Amino acid sequence: MASAQQLIGLVKSHAEGDEKRFFDLAMQLAASEEQKGHSRLAEQLRQWADAGQQPPKQVATRPTPLAAPRGDLAGFLSASYPTTRLNDLILPAHLEDELAHIVIETRMTERLEEKGLRPRRRLLLAGPPGTGKTLTAEALAGELKFPLFTVLLHGLITKFMGETAQKLRMIFDAVHTTRGIYLFDEIDALAAARGAENDIGEARRILNSFLQFLDENTGPSIVVATTNLPEILDRAVLRRFDLVLPYELPDAGAIEKAMHRRLRGFQTAGVEWRDVARHAEGLSTADVVAAGEDAARRAVLGNSEVIETAAVIASLARRRSLHSIGAGANAEGSPTLHSVQRRGSTRVQTKGRRVGKTSK
Ligand SMILES: Nc1ncnc2c1ncn2[C@@H]1O[C@H](COP(=O)(O)OP(=O)(O)OP(=O)(O)O)[C@@H](O)[C@H]1O
Ligand SMILES: [Mg+2]
């Protein structure tokens, strides 16, 4: 625990309005807790101390109007200004900590650079569908008040056959000059083609260009790539990222939290959460949220404020049955999806561009 002197110092600096001292003391406190092995507490202290800081001068609190892509860029880069926050994410503690630290590193870039350090700005989020990867990119943007630029990779490849590398060059020029979160969603589309015997050449060229550009300085921006199929990404791809975060299907605690949040405003005191978690096993967080919405809608239309365990379980079952539509049927005509979907990995091949999609 903090010493009495440290606590007095903190309260005093706050009372005197000495923000700098308050921040320094909070950071010292975090460092001493870290030394004692209380990393989570240390992380939270840093996070809150940092949240209380004024943003550094060069960080605008609102994205500039210039942030909207223009000309050619507008064809394969879409801009949005999410208000999602890190708090909206339901993730294991170690992922929450890493993401909070990324935000701090970006906010405190100057401090790091003074010591010859660079904030981590190339992130790969890997894991099954519906586990919060895209939402994470939105939350980083919302937290930092950066615009979110989503790179429409599939559009880029099909629309600009032969010129995709040049278009990527344009995107990475923007990464360098226009501060934002640049989201390259589902890069496995590119990686899958790399080295494949029958690849058409173009996809491999694009991936190689992507990796080459990724090696460059990202300037003030953060590049976030996502994939459902981390196993097809080789070391050459993985080592380009400063941080690779593994996303997983939610555990019982995360299921309860996601469902609880969606059912806020209803009476859920009687819900047997353990039963609910059991019936949600193998489903993604996106599925759990959707099932929660379904239960909420039905309660509203049934003029009830009370949510029963059975109603939640029925909504989860309805959600689960939807997957069999997407997955098709096996030779006997029965759904195949649930027997092959495993925790933390997805083994289903579906038609269309999203290989391995099973849920959402
Ligand atoms: N970890 C999470 N915390 C909170 N909500 C989540 C989480 N994961 C999914 N959701 C809910 O599901 C929706 C879809 O999630 P998201 O698009 O981020 O999944 P994804 O991992 O990007 O999936 P995909 O691989 O299919 O693109 C979110 O908008 C949110 O409502
Ligand atoms: Mg996504």
Side-chain angles (χ1 to χ4, degrees):
M1 276 305 292
S3 76
Q5 283 310 318
Q6 281 174 315
L7 289 177
I8 290 170
L10 262 186
V11 176
K12 189 162 172 275
S13 59
H14 174 68
E16 290 168 353
D18 186 346
E19 273 187 32
K20 180 163 184 328
R21 179 149 175 73
F22 182 79
F23 180 79
D24 288 345
L25 284 169
M27 285 303 195
Q28 280 171 24
L29 199 56
S32 64
E33 291 302 324
E34 184 85 64
Q35 273 176 2
K36 288 179 211 155
H38 304 154
S39 328
R40 179 126 175 85
L41 175 59
E43 195 52 57
Q44 286 175 332
L45 279 167
R46 280 195 207 101
Q47 202 180 332
W48 283 112
D50 184 62
Q53 283 274 93
Q54 290 294 326
K57 262 180 268 128
Q58 83 277 17
V59 177
T61 49
R62 300 177 74 89
T64 59
L66 280 178
R70 292 165 182 199
D72 263 6
L73 271 181
F76 42 83
L77 206 59
S78 76
S80 61
Y81 304 91
T83 52
T84 312
R85 305 301 296 263
L86 286 181
N87 256 343
D88 296 322
L89 292 167
I90 298 165
L91 293 174
H94 64 281
L95 292 196
E96 279 180 7
D97 289 349
E98 287 291 358
L99 292 169
H101 212 270
I102 292 293
V103 168
I104 294 173
E105 288 176 27
T106 301
R107 288 199 183 132
M108 310 295 278
T109 299
E110 270 179 40
R111 190 182 283 221
L112 291 174
E113 285 176 349
E114 277 165 20
K115 295 281 181 202
L117 295 165
R118 283 197 346 201
R120 290 171 297 174
R121 287 187 164 145
R122 282 167 273 239
L123 317 180
L124 177 66
L125 316 181
T131 48
K133 301 181 297 296
T134 303
L135 194 66
T136 298
E138 291 171 5
L140 287 172
E143 204 67 47
L144 288 162
K145 300 196 168 57
F146 283 12
L148 174 66
F149 296 113
T150 302
V151 180
L152 311 170
L153 270 181
H154 293 273
L156 192 72
I157 300 169
T158 46
K159 214 157 126 197
F160 299 98
M161 261 304 194
E163 322 166 39
T164 14
Q166 286 124 279
K167 303 298 176 201
L168 267 185
R169 172 76 270 164
M170 287 173 70
I171 295 173
F172 275 89
D173 285 346
V175 167
H176 202 80
T177 53
T178 307
R179 191 187 58 196
I181 305 289
Y182 288 75
L183 172 63
F184 292 80
D185 231 353
E186 300 173 15
I187 58 159
D188 27 64
L190 297 179
R194 193 175 192 236
E197 275 173 30
N198 59 347
D199 85 57
I200 46 164
E202 172 74 346
R204 191 177 51 186
R205 265 197 302 282
I206 300 164
L207 178 71
N208 287 338
S209 312
F210 175 75
L211 295 178
Q212 203 182 322
F213 297 146
L214 202 57
D215 273 343
E216 297 173 2
N217 187 344
T218 60
S221 300
I222 295 180
V223 172
V224 178
T226 74
T227 176
N228 290 145
L229 301 168
E231 59 274 15
I232 64 164
L233 301 178
D234 59 30
R235 275 162 188 256
V237 178
L238 296 178
R239 78 177 163 76
R240 250 77 177 209
F241 291 95
D242 299 321
L243 182 63
V244 178
L245 293 176
Y247 281 61
E248 290 197 355
L249 295 178
D251 62 11
I255 291 168
E256 178 175 344
K257 203 167 166 186
M259 191 59 96
H260 224 136
R261 265 194 204 175
R262 212 69 204 106
L263 296 175
R264 200 174 282 155
F266 291 88
Q267 289 174 36
T268 53
V271 175
E272 291 290 342
W273 291 109
R274 228 183 279 168
D275 284 351
V276 169
R278 207 153 32 83
H279 282 84
E281 204 180 323
L283 292 179
S284 67
T285 317
D287 287 323
V288 174
V289 169
E293 253 166 39
D294 182 64
R297 263 193 300 269
R298 284 165 195 268
V300 169
L301 297 180
N303 277 330
S304 172
E305 304 227 318
V306 181
I307 302 280
E308 310 277 358
T309 309
V312 179
I313 290 175
S315 292
L316 285 166
R318 267 191 293 276
R319 187 72 203 165
R320 200 184 280 277
S321 71
L322 286 183
H323 292 319
S324 49
I325 299 169
N330 64 16
E332 288 82 47
S334 45
T336 57
L337 180 69
H338 311 310
S339 53
V340 290
Q341 188 173 6
R342 297 191 325 197
R343 185 179 166 77
S345 67
T346 307
R347 295 275 169 262
V348 179
Q349 301 276 319
T350 57
K351 282 186 235 140
R353 71 177 183 83
R354 290 183 149 196
V355 177
K357 288 274 152 182
T358 61
S359 58
K360 227 171 102 168

